Structure formats: structure tokens, C-alpha cells
Amino acid sequence: EDFKAFRFPRQTNKLAFVFDPAELGLSLSFGVEVFEPGHHTPLHIHKTAHELFFVLAGEGVAFCNGQRFTVRAGDVVVFPPRAVHGIDNNTESKLYCLQLMTPNEAFVEHVQSGEAVGRLDDEVRV
């Protein structure tokens, strides 16, 4: 079965969910997130959720509570609740991450309110 992928509302990144947590009664998100070249994530917080990124390929710049640091393949970043955070891709290549957030905090529903993009066919080479 194909992952269900969506482009975030008003952004260039896409997230392909491995499963629909509502179907399983879970309060989390888990999927493959693709940050397009030049992508900028608006700084934001999650009130109660931890958000984890495992970088599969590419390079980006992460921000957390005023600190800026490079992330690249093999890195793990965990943003704790209430941390002001984001990840940008200032390169000319795509940035690929596994993304996990728990609890959900309506994040899945927010992403699904964006454009459904179907499969990530060009992403299978990662």
C-alpha cells in the first residue's frame, strides 16, 4: 500500500504518512518528510508534543530556542514541547527525514488539510 502524501498548507515541504493514526487509535504522526530546495519552515511550537527528525539524506539548518545548527544524514533532532523550532533547506538538493511527533496535537489533520500529492514516486531512490 502506498503512503498518503500531502504538501503542507502554504509551504513547499511534503509529508508521506506511514499510516493514518486515526485508523489505529493513536495520537502521533510518523512519516517521510521531504523539504524542497529553498524551503523555509516558519518557527513554531507544539504545546505538549515532542517532534523527532531522523535525517535520511541531504542537509539542512535546524533552529531550536534561538540556536542554529546544521543537520545532515544520520543526525537525529528532538524538539521538546514548547521549543521554538523549525528546519530549513538552504541547499539545491532535497532534504529527507523520518518525522515522528507525539502526541498528535492535530498535526496530522493540519498536514492533511494541504494538497494531497499521492505517492512520492521520485523519492524512492533515497
Side-chain angles (χ1 to χ4, degrees), residues 44-49 65 80-85:
H44 61 284
I45 67 164
H46 304 292
K47 290 181 182 178
T48 61
N65 291 334
R82 300 190 186 281
V84 178
H85 68 278

Side-chain angles (χ1 to χ4, degrees), residues 77-99:
V77 179
V78 179
F79 299 115
R82 300 190 186 281
V84 178
H85 68 278
I87 295 179
D88 292 348
N89 179 2
N90 298 324
T91 73
E92 295 185 16
S93 301
K94 292 180 181 180
L95 169 63
Y96 300 89
C97 298
L98 289 178
Q99 182 272 353

Side-chain angles (χ1 to χ4, degrees), residues 1 17 29 33 59 65 67 91 95-96 109:
E1 182 177 322
F17 293 109
S29 68
E33 188 161 353
E59 185 174 300
N65 291 334
Q67 295 184 347
T91 73
L95 169 63
Y96 300 89
E109 294 80 0

Side-chain angles (χ1 to χ4, degrees), residues 27-50:
S27 180
L28 58 84
S29 68
F30 179 63
V32 176
E33 188 161 353
V34 181
F35 298 85
E36 296 292 329
H39 173 80
H40 170 74
T41 302
L43 294 177
H44 61 284
I45 67 164
H46 304 292
K47 290 181 182 178
T48 61
H50 287 83

